[in-house]
């Protein structure tokens, strides 16, 4: 865990294809306890411009058995200059869950998409987003969303089943654009192509929550039940 990420985050910004080693220079994650929702998140920063970051936070249950699908809570904070922000769980655009979020008043809209090529992704039916009752907001500078995702951490990638290890670090991809989406209240709105994409290393282990189910309930989401994830081929 590192705490000095300010300038280092800017070193990773790229508008185009970054060097393969970019993510080794990127800042890593810190643990963040969110006063609004009570979750302990692992927090990473992703440079959106030379002067602004997107903050990504991910929380998961503690002691997830190996091989078991698990839900996560995703919190994102973006500057108002961005019309949408995306997070790629497989660390690239193709064949992995892509969360796409855009501002919509006090209730940002979040969906999961899936791309089979470098073109507009489609809705991804094997993941479900559930907004929490707190942690979504906007003010004069930023907009913020907090959602549960079922199906973001296990998926069928280009080379078979991927299970994201909740105890470890992983390269994530991200993308963003200043352009506003066509229909911000809709989870299936078309989005303008990203101006920026890049990668960061997210350390999931700092987002472990022994009281995950109770925290979900506190935030208006019914308790965790075993979930069978349908995998795409
Ligand atoms: C609006 C629809 C989208 C279009 C038309 C699009 C198009 C493209 C294209 C053409 C590239 C290749 C760029 C190059 O080779 O220099 C690319 C790369 C990339 N895109 Fe997208 N994209 C879209 C949405 C998204 C979304 C929602 C994400 C979510 C995070 C995303 C993440 C990435 C990433 C991480 C890369 C880097 C290359 C890779 O790892 O595959 N894209 N995109
Ligand atoms: C993560 O670590 C915990 C504690 O050591 C362990 O109980 C659990 O099985 C591990 N989970 C995975 C997916 O490796
Ligand atoms: C605006 O919202 C962001 C994200 O929730 C927060 O980090 C920031 O402190 C807020 N700014 C003010 C002035 O309240
Ligand atoms: C999940 O899968 C198991 C084993 O295939 C099955 O017994 C169970 O009914 C399924 N649960 C749900 C909620 O679909
Ligand atoms: C969709 C949703 O749950 N929105 C919530 C955002 O947060 C406010 C409180 O800050 C709630 O009142 C909304 O219900």
């Amino acid at each position: 865990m590192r705490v000095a990420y300010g300038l280092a985050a800017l070193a990773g910004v790229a508008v185009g294809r970054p060097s393969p080693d970019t993510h080794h220079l990127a800042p890593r994650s810190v643990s963040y306890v969110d006063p609004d929702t009570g979750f302990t998140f692992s927090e990473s920063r992703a440079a959106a411009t030379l002067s602004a970051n997107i903050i990504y936070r991910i929380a998961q249950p503690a002691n997830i058995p190996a091989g078991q699908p698990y839900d996560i809570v995703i919190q994102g904070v973006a500057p108002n200059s961005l019309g949408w922000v995306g997070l790629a769980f497989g660390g690239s655009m193709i064949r992995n869950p892509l969360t796409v979020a855009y501002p919509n008043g006090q209730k940002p809209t979040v969906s999961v998409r899936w791309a089979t090529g470098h073109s507009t992704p489609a809705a991804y039916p094997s993941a479900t987003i559930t907004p929490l009752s707190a942690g979504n907001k906007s003010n004069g500078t930023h907009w913020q969303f907090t959602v549960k995702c079922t199906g973001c951490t296990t998926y069928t990638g280009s080379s078979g089943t991927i299970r994201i290890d909740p105890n470890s670090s992983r390269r994530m991809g991200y993308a963003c654009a200043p352009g506003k989406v066509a229909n911000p209240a809709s989870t299936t709105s078309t989005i303008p192509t990203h101006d920026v994409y890049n990668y960061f290393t997210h350390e999931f282990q700092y987002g472990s929550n022994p009281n995950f189910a109770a925290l979900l309930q506190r935030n208006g989401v019914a308790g965790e039940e075993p979930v069978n994830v349908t995998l795409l081929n």
Side-chain angles (χ1 to χ4, degrees):
M1 178 167 19
R2 290 184 204 165
V3 289
Y5 39 65
L7 285 174
L10 305 182
V13 74
V15 185
R17 190 180 294 280
S19 82
D21 285 337
T22 301
H23 63 284
H24 295 306
L25 301 174
R28 296 219 167 180
S29 313
V30 297
S31 204
Y32 172 82
V33 180
D34 178 31
D36 293 341
T37 62
F39 281 95
T40 297
F41 290 95
S42 180
E43 171 183 298
S44 295
R45 295 191 177 219
T49 68
L50 287 174
S51 58
N53 289 318
I54 305 164
I55 299 175
Y56 275 114
R57 301 178 177 133
I58 298 176
Q60 73 275 359
N63 299 319
I64 298 160
Q68 176 90 20
Y70 60 96
D71 294 351
I72 53 175
V73 172
I74 308 166
Q75 183 167 83
V77 182
N80 283 347
S81 58
L82 295 180
W84 68 268
V85 299
L87 182 63
F89 282 84
S92 73
M93 180 169 160
I94 295 171
R95 294 192 187 278
N96 68 109
L98 308 172
T99 63
V100 172
Y102 25 89
N104 180 41
Q106 292 298 314
K107 296 185 179 181
T109 303
V110 184
S111 56
V112 186
R113 319 277 177 119
W114 184 272
T116 55
H118 282 143
S119 55
T120 304
Y124 176 55
S126 298
T128 306
I129 292 289
T130 308
L132 271 56
S133 56
N136 65 93
K137 52 190 177 184
S138 68
N139 60 26
T141 61
H142 292 83
W143 53 280
Q144 176 179 322
F145 64 90
T146 310
V147 298
K148 181 179 88 161
C149 182
T150 299
C152 282
T153 59
T154 301
Y155 60 92
T156 301
S158 300
S159 50
T161 300
I162 303 292
R163 297 178 198 281
I164 295 178
D165 182 348
N167 294 339
S168 188
S169 64
R170 179 175 183 77
R171 185 181 89 157
M172 309 287 274
Y174 70 95
C176 59
K180 304 291 180 209
V181 308
N183 185 2
S186 166
T187 54
T188 56
S189 178
T190 54
I191 52 176
T193 306
H194 36 74
D195 278 18
V196 169
Y197 66 79
N198 208 338
Y199 312 95
F200 62 88
T201 298
H202 188 77
E203 293 173 295
F204 280 77
Q205 60 269 36
Y206 300 127
S208 168
N209 290 261
N211 51 347
F212 190 80
L215 284 169
L216 279 176
Q217 281 193 335
R218 176 185 142 183
N219 289 285
V221 180
E224 289 289 85
E225 289 168 26
V227 172
N228 292 340
V229 176
T230 307
L231 299 176
L232 289 184
N233 287 311

